[in-house]
Amino acid sequence: TYSIAVSTCPSQTVALFGAGTNSSTTTYTWSNGVNTYSQTVAPINTTTYVVNGSSISGCPALSGTVIVNVNSISASFSGLDNSIMNVGETLSLTNTSTGATSVLWDYCEGTSISNQITIPLSDTGTCCIKLIAANATCSDSITKCVTIIKEAVVIIPNVFTPNGDTKNDLFKIQ
C-alpha cells in the first residue's frame, strides 16, 4: 500500500503508475476506470486516484493512492466595462485574479506589477491590456481590448429659414 501526492497546474498532464515493478501484479484497476499499469491524466481540480492490483490468481497484490493537487489559478481584472472609450478618458483597472501571488500587466504603452493600474487614453486606436497572473508553479492570462475614439460632437441647428437666400435654407444635423 502506498500514498503519493503531486502538484500540478490546471489541465497539465501527469503520468500515474501502478506501483514499482511488482512482477506478481498482472491486472490494474484505477478509480477512474482505467485498467492499465500507467495512465496520463490532466485534471482541472485536485483529484484522488486509487489503484488496485491483482495477481494472475486474482489475489490482491497492491493498493495505492495518488493525490494530484491542482494549483488553481485564474487571471481576471475589472474596470474595463466598455469596448469603446474616448480620448481623454482614463482606465482604472483592478486585478481580481484568484490563486495568484504575483501579476504582470502588459498594456498600450507600458507594464506594471501593481494590483491596480491607471491608463490615460491620450490617442485614438486600439489598446489591448494583458494581465498575467502567476503563483509558484502556474500562470494564467487574460487579454481585453478597448478602441479609443475622439468624442463625437453633434450640432443640431435651432434655426431654419427656407426662403431661398442660401442662409439656413436646409435643415441638416452635423
Side-chain angles (χ1 to χ4, degrees), residues 70-147:
V70 177
N71 293 319
S72 185
I73 188 167
S74 178
S76 64
F77 63 88
S78 64
L80 182 54
D81 301 322
N82 300 313
S83 60
I84 298 176
M85 296 182 72
N86 295 315
V87 169
E89 290 186 282
T90 301
L91 273 174
S92 295
L93 306 176
T94 302
N95 169 37
T96 56
S97 302
T98 57
T101 55
S102 66
V103 296
L104 172 64
W105 298 90
D106 187 2
Y107 55 94
C108 318
E109 298 173 13
T111 59
S112 176
I113 57 171
S114 299
N115 276 317
Q116 294 181 318
I117 61 170
T118 302
I119 305 171
L121 305 176
S122 58
D123 198 6
T124 59
T126 300
C127 174
C128 292
I129 299 101
K130 181 177 185 177
L131 174 66
I132 303 167
N135 59 30
T137 56
C138 306
S139 67
D140 187 36
S141 66
I142 185 171
T143 301
K144 296 181 185 179
C145 298
V146 61
T147 300

